[in-house]
């Protein structure tokens, strides 16, 4: 089966295949294509398979809604814990650089280039359109509000919102 037909099968006829058959079909695909499938596939179970095949650690019971964009250069920098709930259109930036731009050669820009892990511990809930920056650990049971910019670690069982985030309250207080 050629790649176009394979992608069509994976995107539109996935229900007739077992999980193992889908994994076998997807294993030869380029990482960029796997990541695209993880971002856009209509089925949550399939999205998790494609993210795992493209070096993202995804825990059991996690729900990843459509539109999760991960910038990690396909390195194993992102961990999504058990039972995490990720709403639509979340962006995780674990790797950032100016690519081919001459900016990469400027001393003042070099400290902006990074490759840092992002860890979402178990039972984290992230609202729609949130942005999570590299080097951040979102602690167990944290809730991140829609549209938030997560630029620092959180405390367990706490609610955060804003740009940049600020703690609104604890959940066990």
């Amino acid at each position: 089966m050629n790649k176009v037909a394979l992608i069509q099968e994976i995107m539109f006829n996935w229900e007739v295949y077992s999980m193992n058959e889908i994994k076998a079909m997807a294993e030869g695909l380029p990482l960029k294509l796997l990541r695209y499938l993880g971002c856009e596939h209509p089925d949550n179970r399939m999205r998790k398979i494609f993210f795992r095949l493209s070096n993202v650690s995804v825990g059991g019971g996690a729900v990843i809604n459509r539109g999760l964009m991960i910038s990690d250069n396909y390195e194993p920098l992102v961990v999504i814990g058990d039972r995490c709930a990720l709403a639509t259109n979340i962006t995780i930036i674990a790797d950032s650089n100016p690519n081919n731009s001459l900016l990469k050669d400027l001393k003042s820009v070099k400290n902006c280039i990074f490759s840092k892990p992002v860890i979402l511990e178990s039972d984290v809930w992230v609202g729609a359109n949130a942005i999570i920056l590299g080097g951040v650990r979102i602690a167990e049971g944290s809730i991140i509000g829609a549209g938030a910019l997560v630029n620092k670690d959180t405390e367990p069982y706490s609610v955060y919102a804003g740009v940049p985030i600020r703690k609104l309250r604890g959940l066990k207080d």
Side-chain angles (χ1 to χ4, degrees):
M1 186 179 313
N2 68 40
K3 282 188 182 175
V4 172
L6 181 62
I7 297 303
Q8 287 175 331
E9 284 298 300
I10 289 172
M11 282 296 285
F12 304 111
N13 295 322
W14 80 92
E15 293 173 309
V16 301
Y17 297 102
S18 71
M19 293 291 188
N20 287 335
E21 288 172 316
I22 291 288
K23 286 178 190 174
M25 292 166 71
E27 281 181 348
L29 295 175
L31 291 172
K32 282 184 179 184
L33 199 45
L34 290 170
R35 197 55 68 83
Y36 170 79
L37 290 168
C39 181
E40 295 301 330
H41 199 280
D43 184 72
N44 173 59
R45 294 166 302 152
M46 297 296 111
R47 285 191 292 273
K48 291 189 287 188
I49 288 171
F50 302 127
F51 278 115
R52 287 177 180 133
L53 289 172
S54 63
N55 292 321
V56 176
S57 176
V58 180
V63 174
I64 299 173
N65 283 288
R66 287 182 67 179
L68 174 61
M69 299 295 296
I70 298 177
S71 176
D72 61 1
N73 205 25
Y74 309 105
E75 297 295 324
L77 294 170
V78 176
V79 175
I80 299 169
D82 295 335
R83 300 170 305 281
C84 285
L86 282 78
T88 57
N89 301 321
I90 293 169
T91 302
I92 298 175
I93 304 170
D95 183 87
S96 185
N97 64 73
N99 299 313
N100 295 329
S101 172
L102 296 178
L103 289 171
K104 70 182 180 298
D105 300 326
L106 298 176
K107 268 187 181 177
S108 59
V109 172
K110 287 186 181 194
N111 65 346
C112 297
I113 297 170
F114 66 85
S115 185
K116 299 177 182 175
V118 172
I119 299 170
L120 282 66
E121 294 181 355
S122 295
D123 301 303
V124 165
W125 177 15
V126 181
N129 298 308
I131 299 171
I132 303 168
L133 299 181
V136 166
R137 177 182 293 270
I138 300 179
E140 179 179 3
S142 291
I143 297 174
I144 306 298
L149 173 64
V150 183
N151 64 339
K152 61 185 176 185
D153 293 352
T154 67
E155 297 173 14
Y157 295 94
S158 297
V159 179
Y160 291 82
V163 178
I165 60 164
R166 64 182 175 84
K167 183 178 175 182
L168 301 180
R169 66 184 175 91
L171 292 171
K172 294 187 172 184
D173 295 345

PDB file of all heavy atoms in Angstrom, residues 62-79:
ATOM      1  N   ALA A  62      -5.025   8.874  29.635  1.00  0.00           N
ATOM      2  CA  ALA A  62      -4.941  10.278  29.211  1.00  0.00           C
ATOM      3  C   ALA A  62      -5.914  10.525  28.067  1.00  0.00           C
ATOM      4  O   ALA A  62      -6.171   9.641  27.252  1.00  0.00           O
ATOM      5  CB  ALA A  62      -3.522  10.621  28.780  1.00  0.00           C
ATOM      6  N   VAL A  63      -6.441  11.734  28.022  1.00  0.00           N
ATOM      7  CA  VAL A  63      -7.299  12.157  26.912  1.00  0.00           C
ATOM      8  C   VAL A  63      -6.639  13.364  26.258  1.00  0.00           C
ATOM      9  O   VAL A  63      -6.399  14.385  26.904  1.00  0.00           O
ATOM     10  CB  VAL A  63      -8.724  12.521  27.391  1.00  0.00           C
ATOM     11  CG1 VAL A  63      -9.548  13.092  26.249  1.00  0.00           C
ATOM     12  CG2 VAL A  63      -9.400  11.298  27.985  1.00  0.00           C
ATOM     13  N   ILE A  64      -6.317  13.201  24.981  1.00  0.00           N
ATOM     14  CA  ILE A  64      -5.673  14.263  24.219  1.00  0.00           C
ATOM     15  C   ILE A  64      -6.643  14.683  23.115  1.00  0.00           C
ATOM     16  O   ILE A  64      -6.892  13.931  22.178  1.00  0.00           O
ATOM     17  CB  ILE A  64      -4.349  13.785  23.598  1.00  0.00           C
ATOM     18  CG1 ILE A  64      -3.374  13.367  24.694  1.00  0.00           C
ATOM     19  CG2 ILE A  64      -3.751  14.872  22.718  1.00  0.00           C
ATOM     20  CD1 ILE A  64      -2.094  12.723  24.187  1.00  0.00           C
ATOM     21  N   ASN A  65      -7.215  15.860  23.258  1.00  0.00           N
ATOM     22  CA  ASN A  65      -8.128  16.350  22.236  1.00  0.00           C
ATOM     23  C   ASN A  65      -7.353  16.874  21.028  1.00  0.00           C
ATOM     24  O   ASN A  65      -6.133  17.021  21.073  1.00  0.00           O
ATOM     25  CB  ASN A  65      -9.049  17.415  22.823  1.00  0.00           C
ATOM     26  CG  ASN A  65     -10.143  16.785  23.657  1.00  0.00           C
ATOM     27  OD1 ASN A  65     -11.051  16.168  23.126  1.00  0.00           O
ATOM     28  ND2 ASN A  65     -10.024  16.909  24.970  1.00  0.00           N
ATOM     29  N   ARG A  66      -8.072  17.129  19.957  1.00  0.00           N
ATOM     30  CA  ARG A  66      -7.427  17.552  18.709  1.00  0.00           C
ATOM     31  C   ARG A  66      -6.678  18.863  18.877  1.00  0.00           C
ATOM     32  O   ARG A  66      -7.020  19.706  19.687  1.00  0.00           O
ATOM     33  CB  ARG A  66      -8.466  17.688  17.606  1.00  0.00           C
ATOM     34  CG  ARG A  66      -8.947  16.329  17.145  1.00  0.00           C
ATOM     35  CD  ARG A  66      -9.931  16.407  16.046  1.00  0.00           C
ATOM     36  NE  ARG A  66      -9.286  16.934  14.839  1.00  0.00           N
ATOM     37  CZ  ARG A  66      -9.904  17.090  13.696  1.00  0.00           C
ATOM     38  NH1 ARG A  66     -11.163  16.775  13.587  1.00  0.00           N
ATOM     39  NH2 ARG A  66      -9.263  17.572  12.658  1.00  0.00           N
ATOM     40  N   GLY A  67      -5.628  19.003  18.086  1.00  0.00           N
ATOM     41  CA  GLY A  67      -4.899  20.251  18.029  1.00  0.00           C
ATOM     42  C   GLY A  67      -3.720  20.371  18.973  1.00  0.00           C
ATOM     43  O   GLY A  67      -3.175  21.462  19.126  1.00  0.00           O
ATOM     44  N   LEU A  68      -3.293  19.284  19.609  1.00  0.00           N
ATOM     45  CA  LEU A  68      -2.113  19.357  20.473  1.00  0.00           C
ATOM     46  C   LEU A  68      -0.874  19.492  19.598  1.00  0.00           C
ATOM     47  O   LEU A  68      -0.534  18.592  18.831  1.00  0.00           O
ATOM     48  CB  LEU A  68      -1.985  18.114  21.353  1.00  0.00           C
ATOM     49  CG  LEU A  68      -0.702  18.024  22.192  1.00  0.00           C
ATOM     50  CD1 LEU A  68      -0.589  19.196  23.163  1.00  0.00           C
ATOM     51  CD2 LEU A  68      -0.635  16.704  22.930  1.00  0.00           C
ATOM     52  N   MET A  69      -0.217  20.636  19.690  1.00  0.00           N
ATOM     53  CA  MET A  69       1.004  20.896  18.931  1.00  0.00           C
ATOM     54  C   MET A  69       2.189  20.783  19.891  1.00  0.00           C
ATOM     55  O   MET A  69       2.191  21.425  20.940  1.00  0.00           O
ATOM     56  CB  MET A  69       0.982  22.305  18.325  1.00  0.00           C
ATOM     57  CG  MET A  69      -0.157  22.532  17.349  1.00  0.00           C
ATOM     58  SD  MET A  69      -0.049  21.504  15.874  1.00  0.00           S
ATOM     59  CE  MET A  69       1.422  22.108  15.140  1.00  0.00           C
ATOM     60  N   ILE A  70       3.170  19.967  19.520  1.00  0.00           N
ATOM     61  CA  ILE A  70       4.340  19.776  20.364  1.00  0.00           C
ATOM     62  C   ILE A  70       5.577  20.103  19.551  1.00  0.00           C
ATOM     63  O   ILE A  70       5.821  19.509  18.498  1.00  0.00           O
ATOM     64  CB  ILE A  70       4.418  18.335  20.904  1.00  0.00           C
ATOM     65  CG1 ILE A  70       3.208  18.028  21.781  1.00  0.00           C
ATOM     66  CG2 ILE A  70       5.721  18.135  21.686  1.00  0.00           C
ATOM     67  CD1 ILE A  70       3.158  16.609  22.304  1.00  0.00           C
ATOM     68  N   SER A  71       6.364  21.041  20.055  1.00  0.00           N
ATOM     69  CA  SER A  71       7.649  21.378  19.453  1.00  0.00           C
ATOM     70  C   SER A  71       8.734  20.789  20.345  1.00  0.00           C
ATOM     71  O   SER A  71       9.001  21.303  21.431  1.00  0.00           O
ATOM     72  CB  SER A  71       7.806  22.900  19.349  1.00  0.00           C
ATOM     73  OG  SER A  71       9.086  23.215  18.852  1.00  0.00           O
ATOM     74  N   ASP A  72       9.320  19.679  19.906  1.00  0.00           N
ATOM     75  CA  ASP A  72      10.345  18.999  20.693  1.00  0.00           C
ATOM     76  C   ASP A  72      11.435  18.402  19.813  1.00  0.00           C
ATOM     77  O   ASP A  72      12.250  17.613  20.278  1.00  0.00           O
ATOM     78  CB  ASP A  72       9.725  17.920  21.581  1.00  0.00           C
ATOM     79  CG  ASP A  72       9.026  16.839  20.773  1.00  0.00           C
ATOM     80  OD1 ASP A  72       9.022  16.899  19.524  1.00  0.00           O
ATOM     81  OD2 ASP A  72       8.459  15.923  21.390  1.00  0.00           O
ATOM     82  N   ASN A  73      11.411  18.764  18.534  1.00  0.00           N
ATOM     83  CA  ASN A  73      12.373  18.218  17.567  1.00  0.00           C
ATOM     84  C   ASN A  73      12.329  16.686  17.553  1.00  0.00           C
ATOM     85  O   ASN A  73      13.316  16.033  17.273  1.00  0.00           O
ATOM     86  CB  ASN A  73      13.776  18.745  17.837  1.00  0.00           C
ATOM     87  CG  ASN A  73      14.636  18.736  16.598  1.00  0.00           C
ATOM     88  OD1 ASN A  73      14.130  18.794  15.479  1.00  0.00           O
ATOM     89  ND2 ASN A  73      15.944  18.650  16.779  1.00  0.00           N
ATOM     90  N   TYR A  74      11.177  16.125  17.916  1.00  0.00           N
ATOM     91  CA  TYR A  74      10.931  14.680  17.953  1.00  0.00           C
ATOM     92  C   TYR A  74      11.849  13.947  18.929  1.00  0.00           C
ATOM     93  O   TYR A  74      12.048  12.753  18.828  1.00  0.00           O
ATOM     94  CB  TYR A  74      11.009  14.071  16.545  1.00  0.00           C
ATOM     95  CG  TYR A  74      10.148  14.826  15.573  1.00  0.00           C
ATOM     96  CD1 TYR A  74      10.703  15.672  14.634  1.00  0.00           C
ATOM     97  CD2 TYR A  74       8.766  14.730  15.643  1.00  0.00           C
ATOM     98  CE1 TYR A  74       9.896  16.392  13.759  1.00  0.00           C
ATOM     99  CE2 TYR A  74       7.955  15.454  14.769  1.00  0.00           C
ATOM    100  CZ  TYR A  74       8.529  16.283  13.841  1.00  0.00           C
ATOM    101  OH  TYR A  74       7.732  16.998  12.982  1.00  0.00           O
ATOM    102  N   GLU A  75      12.376  14.680  19.888  1.00  0.00           N
ATOM    103  CA  GLU A  75      13.177  14.098  20.965  1.00  0.00           C
ATOM    104  C   GLU A  75      12.227  13.728  22.113  1.00  0.00           C
ATOM    105  O   GLU A  75      11.169  14.337  22.268  1.00  0.00           O
ATOM    106  CB  GLU A  75      14.228  15.093  21.458  1.00  0.00           C
ATOM    107  CG  GLU A  75      15.247  15.489  20.402  1.00  0.00           C
ATOM    108  CD  GLU A  75      16.113  14.335  19.961  1.00  0.00           C
ATOM    109  OE1 GLU A  75      16.451  13.486  20.804  1.00  0.00           O
ATOM    110  OE2 GLU A  75      16.436  14.270  18.760  1.00  0.00           O
ATOM    111  N   PRO A  76      12.594  12.781  22.956  1.00  0.00           N
ATOM    112  CA  PRO A  76      11.714  12.381  24.068  1.00  0.00           C
ATOM    113  C   PRO A  76      11.757  13.392  25.222  1.00  0.00           C
ATOM    114  O   PRO A  76      12.260  13.110  26.305  1.00  0.00           O
ATOM    115  CB  PRO A  76      12.273  11.010  24.470  1.00  0.00           C
ATOM    116  CG  PRO A  76      13.699  11.051  24.061  1.00  0.00           C
ATOM    117  CD  PRO A  76      13.767  11.919  22.836  1.00  0.00           C
ATOM    118  N   LEU A  77      11.202  14.574  24.987  1.00  0.00           N
ATOM    119  CA  LEU A  77      11.240  15.652  25.967  1.00  0.00           C
ATOM    120  C   LEU A  77       9.909  15.877  26.676  1.00  0.00           C
ATOM    121  O   LEU A  77       9.852  16.584  27.679  1.00  0.00           O
ATOM    122  CB  LEU A  77      11.646  16.967  25.281  1.00  0.00           C
ATOM    123  CG  LEU A  77      13.061  17.045  24.723  1.00  0.00           C
ATOM    124  CD1 LEU A  77      13.237  18.299  23.873  1.00  0.00           C
ATOM    125  CD2 LEU A  77      14.075  17.028  25.857  1.00  0.00           C
ATOM    126  N   VAL A  78       8.826  15.298  26.164  1.00  0.00           N
ATOM    127  CA  VAL A  78       7.500  15.590  26.696  1.00  0.00           C
ATOM    128  C   VAL A  78       6.904  14.335  27.334  1.00  0.00           C
ATOM    129  O   VAL A  78       6.878  13.267  26.719  1.00  0.00           O
ATOM    130  CB  VAL A  78       6.564  16.134  25.598  1.00  0.00           C
ATOM    131  CG1 VAL A  78       5.158  16.349  26.131  1.00  0.00           C
ATOM    132  CG2 VAL A  78       7.118  17.444  25.030  1.00  0.00           C
ATOM    133  N   VAL A  79       6.446  14.507  28.584  1.00  0.00           N
ATOM    134  CA  VAL A  79       5.792  13.424  29.328  1.00  0.00           C
ATOM    135  C   VAL A  79       4.390  13.895  29.705  1.00  0.00           C
ATOM    136  O   VAL A  79       4.232  14.951  30.326  1.00  0.00           O
ATOM    137  CB  VAL A  79       6.580  13.067  30.609  1.00  0.00           C
ATOM    138  CG1 VAL A  79       5.826  12.042  31.436  1.00  0.00           C
ATOM    139  CG2 VAL A  79       7.974  12.579  30.256  1.00  0.00           C
TER     140      VAL A  79
END
